[in-house]
Amino acid sequence: VITITFNGTTTGRYSVSGQSMSFSDVAGVLSASAVATVAGQTIDVTTPQLASLPIASGATSTVQCAGDAMSLTPTVPNAMTMHFTRAG
């Protein structure tokens, strides 16, 4: 299991049309940390890229929502889908 925790504050605008979500006027600072749990052992697997994430404006992702979950897939080659679950 890999758990990624995002930290920081961003502001911006978004729009949704069908299954496409676009972001604009984005600003802020965002970082992330990653922890892998294997056979009961926890290992920090944070990469330099996660430690300081770039904020992209004009990005577009495919979005899917169901219940308390949302999945975003950036529309760039080799993109990984990000899954979000509502907290609280």
Side-chain angles (χ1 to χ4, degrees):
V1 172
I2 296 178
T3 302
I4 299 176
T5 304
F6 292 93
N7 298 295
T9 302
T10 60
T11 60
R13 297 173 128 356
Y14 71 91
S15 62
V16 177
S17 177
Q19 290 188 323
S20 180
M21 178 180 270
S22 298
F23 301 90
S24 61
D25 301 323
V26 180
V29 176
L30 189 62
S31 66
S33 60
V35 176
T37 304
V38 179
Q41 298 295 316
T42 301
I43 304 162
D44 183 355
V45 293
T46 303
T47 65
Q49 293 85 357
L50 283 175
S52 180
L53 295 170
I55 304 297
S57 191
T60 302
S61 297
T62 300
V63 61
Q64 293 183 334
C65 295
D68 287 343
M70 178 176 76
S71 298
L72 290 176
T73 305
T75 54
V76 296
N78 302 314
M80 294 178 57
T81 300
M82 297 175 285
H83 302 282
F84 299 90
T85 303
R86 184 183 315 226

